Amino acid sequence: MSTPAAEQRKLLEQLLGKEPLHNRYNSGSRNRYYQNNSRGGDLGLHDPKICKAYLVGDCPYDLFQGTKQSMGRCPQIHLAKYKLQYERERKHGHKFPEFEREYVMILSKFINECNGQIKIALKKLEHTPEERAKIQEVTKEIDVIDKRIGLMMQEIDMLIKHNKVTIAMKRSLVLEKLQERRDVVAKKIKFITENVGQSAQQKLQVCEVCGAYLSRLDTDRRLADHFLGKIHLGYVKMREYYKLYNKKRYS
C-alpha cells in the first residue's frame, strides 16, 4: 500500500520528470534545454514538438476547450515541467524572443480569422434605408422610457436619502408601471425587428472582441453571461497577449 508521500512523489515525477531538480537547473547545464535529455528523456524547450503558445501564455486550443469553438486538443506538447523550466529560465534573465515571435504569429492567425468573421457579421446587419427608418421609429419609444426610468430611479434615491420614504414608495409604484410598459414595448420591437427582413433577425449589434451577435433587448444578466463567457474571455486574452508581445517586438 503506497503512502501519501509516495503518491505525492509519483505526482511530482509525472509533472516534472524523475531527474532531481538540482541537476535539472544546474547553472552549468544551460544547453540541456536545447537538446534531448539523455537521462530523463526530456525534450529541449526549443524542440518543435513543444507548444510555444503554452509556454509563453495561453494556447488557443486550451482557451476554447469545452466550448462550441473547441478545436480539440493541441497537436503539440503541453507539460507543466516545460512551462516551469521556461518560467525559471526567464527569471534567471534568459530571453526567448523567438518563442514570443512564434506566439504572436499563432495569435495573429486566430485574431485575423475572428476579425474576418466580425466583418461578415456586420455586413449581415446592414439594412436598407427603409429598414433603418422603420427600426428607428419602433425603438424611439423605448429610448424615451429608458430615460424616464433612469431619472425616476435617481429621484427615488434622493427621496430615500432625505428620509421621504412615503413619497419614494409612491414613485416606486410609478416606476414599476414604466418598467411593465418597457417590457411590452420591447416585445413589440422584437416582433418588428424579426420581421423587417432577414438581415435584422433581432441581432442589432456585433461584439467587436469575439464576433458574437448581441441584442439591445438582452437582459443585463444575459449580456453579463456573454462577457463572462469562455469564448469572449478567450478572445480578450488573445488580443491582450497579441498587443503585449507585438509591442515588445518593436520597442
Side-chain angles (χ1 to χ4, degrees):
M1 183 175 179
S2 60
T3 65
E7 291 294 330
Q8 292 176 356
R9 189 180 302 109
K10 184 177 179 182
L11 178 61
L12 285 173
E13 287 176 355
Q14 290 174 350
L15 290 173
L16 305 175
K18 295 184 179 181
E19 185 185 5
L21 288 176
H22 68 273
N23 286 344
R24 188 179 300 129
Y25 298 118
N26 187 296
S27 60
S29 306
R30 188 177 301 276
N31 288 336
R32 71 196 173 288
Y33 294 128
Y34 315 129
Q35 303 170 359
N36 285 343
N37 187 309
S38 59
R39 293 185 58 186
D42 290 342
L43 302 173
L45 291 183
H46 282 71
D47 193 291
K49 290 189 287 293
I50 296 176
C51 178
K52 304 308 184 289
Y54 171 75
L55 296 183
V56 179
D58 288 294
C59 175
Y61 282 85
D62 290 341
L63 291 175
F64 299 128
Q65 279 288 348
T67 72
K68 63 183 180 181
Q69 291 195 20
S70 175
M71 301 169 287
R73 296 184 63 178
C74 178
Q76 294 177 301
I77 295 172
H78 290 199
L79 281 180
K81 63 180 179 180
Y82 295 129
K83 195 172 184 79
L84 288 172
Q85 288 178 8
Y86 171 78
E87 291 173 352
R88 185 179 289 269
E89 282 291 282
R90 289 187 70 247
K91 286 179 181 179
H92 290 166
H94 193 75
K95 298 185 184 298
F96 296 85
E98 65 276 36
F99 289 10
E100 294 177 2
R101 284 195 297 271
E102 183 173 339
Y103 189 33
V104 167
M105 290 176 63
I106 293 169
L107 293 176
S108 178
K109 174 181 177 294
F110 283 92
I111 291 172
N112 287 339
E113 287 179 356
C114 180
N115 289 343
Q117 292 170 1
I118 291 172
K119 287 182 180 179
I120 293 172
L122 288 171
K123 190 72 176 175
K124 288 181 179 179
L125 290 185
E126 291 181 357
H127 303 288
T128 65
E130 293 78 15
E131 287 176 333
R132 285 197 294 270
K134 191 169 184 178
I135 292 172
Q136 185 177 7
E137 179 183 349
V138 297
T139 56
K140 187 175 181 179
E141 183 178 359
I142 205 167
D143 289 335
V144 173
I145 294 174
D146 284 342
K147 289 177 183 177
R148 289 184 62 189
I149 288 174
L151 290 171
M152 191 163 290
M153 291 177 70
Q154 292 178 14
E155 180 186 354
I156 292 171
D157 286 340
M158 289 299 296
L159 289 169
I160 293 173
K161 286 179 182 178
H162 290 86
N163 295 319
K164 297 181 179 180
V165 180
T166 302
I167 300 175
M169 289 179 65
K170 291 180 180 179
R171 299 302 286 166
S172 295
L173 293 175
V174 178
L175 176 62
E176 186 176 342
K177 294 291 184 183
L178 272 176
Q179 290 171 332
E180 289 175 357
R181 177 60 184 165
R182 188 194 188 282
D183 290 340
V184 172
V185 176
K187 289 178 181 177
K188 178 182 177 183
I189 293 172
K190 179 180 178 181
F191 175 80
I192 293 174
T193 54
E194 285 179 340
N195 292 277
V196 160
Q198 189 175 2
S199 63
Q201 296 182 353
Q202 194 205 343
K203 299 171 182 178
L204 307 177
Q205 190 175 344
V206 177
C207 177
E208 295 185 4
V209 172
C210 66
Y213 283 111
L214 301 174
S215 171
R216 62 170 298 173
L217 304 180
D218 284 340
T219 62
D220 290 343
R221 181 172 180 178
R222 188 169 179 180
L223 289 173
D225 288 342
H226 167 76
F227 291 117
L228 295 176
K230 196 170 182 180
I231 292 175
H232 180 86
L233 292 179
Y235 279 107
V236 168
K237 276 190 174 183
M238 285 200 292
R239 291 180 185 278
E240 287 176 348
Y241 279 131
Y242 179 81
K243 185 177 180 181
L244 172 65
Y245 289 108
N246 200 42
K247 184 178 179 180
K248 285 178 66 176
R249 292 174 63 189
Y250 300 103
S251 61

